[in-house]
Amino acid sequence: MSQPAVMHRVEFLRHPHPDHPHLTFWGIRIDGTDLRVLVAEATRALWDRELDEDDDTPQEREEFLLNQHAPLYLDDDADGARARAHFLGDAPPHLRNDATGALCLLVCPCGIPACWALLATVRATATEVVWSGFHQPDRPEWGELPLGPYVFPRPAYDEALAAPTRLTQDPLAPLLGAA
């Protein structure tokens, strides 16, 4: 007999870009933890195999891990329809992998999604939304990252997406030396 899926809690965040305050990012917390922190933990051992430990201090390494991705910028629209469509699995072509259908949840800090995106499969039903298959397309040898799957109850997911938490700055700014 299969176990019921563990349900998670998602929170969508909106905050201004630090250098371009007229642009607004979409950040994500899962069970109260920023998705970038979860990715840092999931990729720490993978990066340890690639990076020379003598090149960085522990603080520089931690900043690197946390700053490998940035929150997503989605063109603003008055009613939030684009963001809802994106986070329910209907991403625009430049934020989707044509071969797998996986979509971009985080982007490269340079702002170009194709540069260093975090991709995942998003499947939405009437009762739940599931994020799974997290991967870094620029490191196929890493395979699927040890993240998720994350199963969110659909009503709570829709509510979080409709009323994102508004912040005055990136919540990781103090950890990234940007505050």
Side-chain angles (χ1 to χ4, degrees):
M1 184 154 98
S2 68
Q3 297 276 334
V6 173
M7 293 297 215
H8 296 274
R9 181 176 47 86
V10 68
E11 180 182 7
F12 293 98
L13 313 170
R14 300 294 314 270
H15 60 83
H17 184 287
D19 300 323
H20 308 284
H22 64 285
L23 300 177
T24 306
F25 281 140
W26 283 85
I28 302 164
R29 287 184 185 139
I30 298 174
D31 298 330
T33 302
D34 194 291
L35 181 56
R36 292 169 292 168
V37 172
L38 297 171
V39 172
E41 288 305 314
T43 60
R44 185 178 308 279
L46 297 166
W47 281 117
D48 284 347
R49 292 188 294 219
E50 291 188 29
L51 301 175
D52 186 344
E53 66 182 49
D54 296 330
D55 286 346
D56 300 309
T57 67
Q59 180 179 346
E60 289 169 333
R61 178 67 61 93
E62 195 60 27
E63 285 182 18
F64 169 81
L65 288 170
L66 291 173
N67 201 32
Q68 66 182 303
H69 291 102
L72 188 62
Y73 171 74
L74 296 170
D75 292 331
D76 284 328
D77 56 323
D79 64 359
R82 285 187 202 119
R84 276 195 305 282
H86 180 88
F87 289 113
L88 287 169
D90 187 18
H94 72 286
L95 295 174
R96 169 184 295 286
N97 180 300
D98 290 335
T100 65
L103 60 87
C104 184
L105 292 175
L106 296 172
V107 296
C108 180
C110 78
I112 300 171
C115 181
W116 185 258
L118 175 70
L119 299 180
T121 300
V122 175
R123 182 182 53 82
T125 70
T127 59
E128 65 186 22
V129 178
V130 179
W131 292 2
S132 63
F134 289 85
H135 65 282
Q136 174 44 257
D138 293 313
R139 290 291 193 283
E141 66 275 15
W142 285 3
E144 187 174 322
L145 298 175
L147 285 170
Y150 297 110
V151 181
F152 309 106
R154 179 66 186 263
Y157 189 94
D158 288 341
E159 184 179 309
L161 195 49
T165 301
R166 301 229 176 236
L167 304 172
T168 59
Q169 70 173 8
D170 181 338
L172 293 189
L175 299 174
L176 300 173

